Amino acid sequence: MVCGTPIICSRGTLSGDMTEKLNCGIVVDYNGESIKQGIIKLRDDKELCKNLGKNAFNVAKERYNWETEKKNLLKVYGEIK
């Protein structure tokens, strides 16, 4: 995500749900043909690929970064004491 590349995830998984929610990639069924079609879709639709990649980068930069994770970890470890 931080590379600005859209991801392909399997439908019905946590990563698939997050990908749909964050609009940072595409979600496919868990089989070879669906994965192949997902890759082709991203390859052939440059605008879609660009937009999903941009969303992926922004989410990584703003939400999934060490500063944010540090705060989350400190909350968890602070509660363990």
Side-chain angles (χ1 to χ4, degrees):
M1 290 174 66
V2 76
C3 294
T5 303
I7 56 178
I8 298 175
C9 293
S10 296
R11 185 171 280 108
T13 63
L14 177 60
S15 61
D17 294 344
M18 288 179 63
T19 298
E20 286 182 325
K21 179 181 172 187
L22 300 170
N23 196 30
C24 61
I26 59 173
V27 178
V28 299
D29 292 329
Y30 185 70
N31 63 60
E33 185 59 31
S34 292
I35 295 168
K36 176 183 170 183
Q37 291 305 314
I39 293 168
I40 291 169
K41 182 176 184 174
L42 290 175
R43 180 195 70 190
D44 293 347
D45 190 339
K46 302 295 185 199
E47 194 65 27
L48 174 66
C49 191
K50 178 182 169 185
N51 290 334
L52 293 175
K54 185 177 173 183
N55 291 345
F57 176 76
N58 288 334
V59 168
K61 182 175 78 171
E62 296 167 9
R63 185 169 177 182
Y64 298 110
N65 59 62
W66 281 113
E67 193 59 37
T68 302
E69 293 305 315
K70 178 176 89 172
K71 291 175 187 173
N72 291 335
L73 288 170
L74 288 172
K75 284 181 195 174
V76 170
Y77 286 111
E79 293 174 4
I80 294 176
K81 291 180 182 180

